[in-house]
Amino acid sequence: MIRWFGVLARVVVGGVWLYAGALKLPHPETSVTAVRAYQLLPTGTAGTVGHLLPMLEIVVGGCLVVGLLVRLTGGVSAVLQAAFIVGIVSVWSRGIAID
């Protein structure tokens, strides 16, 4: 029973990453703008991160859903999630409004 809960959790998290990446992939300029809005990275780095992030989300999500490299992609997923949380907390603490 516990094993199936782990599989379900992995598939749900992977699905969320796939959905998030799929929404950003067709509009890379919007993704770059969103990364720049956090004002955490230099402009050039923010552009690179904005372009690569949707692809990384899709790869991580796909691997989690299919069950490939689960430990590695689970770790990458956790790091990405922590980075998003840090970014949101940073924006809130500085009073920056992001849509």
Side-chain angles (χ1 to χ4, degrees), residues 7 11 31 45 57 61 64 94:
V7 171
V11 169
S31 180
T45 306
E57 290 173 344
L64 287 173
R94 292 181 288 152

Side-chain angles (χ1 to χ4, degrees), residues 3-96:
R3 180 174 185 218
W4 289 110
F5 178 73
V7 171
L8 178 65
R10 185 188 54 157
V11 169
V12 168
V13 170
V16 170
W17 284 124
L18 282 171
Y19 182 72
L23 285 178
K24 295 174 194 162
L25 197 59
H27 309 289
E29 66 283 344
T30 305
S31 180
V32 171
T33 301
V35 171
R36 286 186 179 144
Y38 282 84
Q39 301 174 11
L40 291 172
L41 301 171
T43 305
T45 306
T48 303
V49 169
H51 284 290
L52 293 178
L53 188 60
M55 290 180 275
L56 179 62
E57 290 173 344
I58 288 173
V59 168
V60 168
C63 286
L64 287 173
V65 167
V66 174
L68 294 173
L69 304 169
V70 174
R71 288 184 188 264
L72 175 65
T73 54
V76 172
S77 175
V79 169
L80 280 173
Q81 196 66 261
F84 286 129
I85 291 169
V86 166
I88 291 168
V89 168
S90 172
V91 165
W92 283 347
S93 67
R94 292 181 288 152
I96 299 171

